[in-house]
Amino acid sequence: MPTGYQINKQDKLHFVTLQIVVGLTYLPVKYRDIIISNLACCQKNKGLEIFARVIMSNHMHLLVKIEREDLSSFL
């Protein structure tokens, strides 16, 4: 769902917020663990650098940079 925001400098450090859009009002522990393992996989295989992460009940904040591709395409 595009919101009009664009990433102009793809190779720079970015603060990203991702939220749950579906009917969940909180994030169950099993889903949190899946997110964490997927982020680790992206770090290992896709060159994602995570400088900070905060996983909240219905959204997460990331301070990220990616080397191998556009952050826009990755997200």
Side-chain angles (χ1 to χ4, degrees):
M1 168 179 7
T3 60
Y5 296 108
Q6 296 180 359
I7 299 174
N8 294 323
K9 298 182 179 180
Q10 298 289 334
D11 59 336
K12 302 295 181 193
L13 190 65
H14 288 280
F15 178 78
V16 178
T17 299
L18 304 167
Q19 65 183 15
I20 298 172
V21 178
V22 207
L24 293 176
T25 56
Y26 71 96
L27 189 66
V29 173
K30 67 179 182 177
Y31 295 141
R32 184 206 61 203
D33 293 342
I34 291 170
I35 289 170
I36 291 171
S37 66
N38 280 317
L39 288 172
C41 181
C42 290
Q43 285 178 296
K44 182 178 178 182
N45 299 321
K46 297 194 177 239
L48 181 69
E49 294 181 61
I50 301 174
F51 295 89
R53 73 171 187 233
V54 178
I55 301 175
M56 307 295 284
S57 61
N58 63 353
H59 66 284
M60 70 177 165
H61 302 289
L62 301 170
L63 192 55
V64 294
K65 180 179 171 184
I66 193 163
E67 293 292 331
R68 298 185 198 160
E69 60 182 290
D70 288 352
L71 186 58
S72 296
S73 302
F74 176 78
L75 291 174

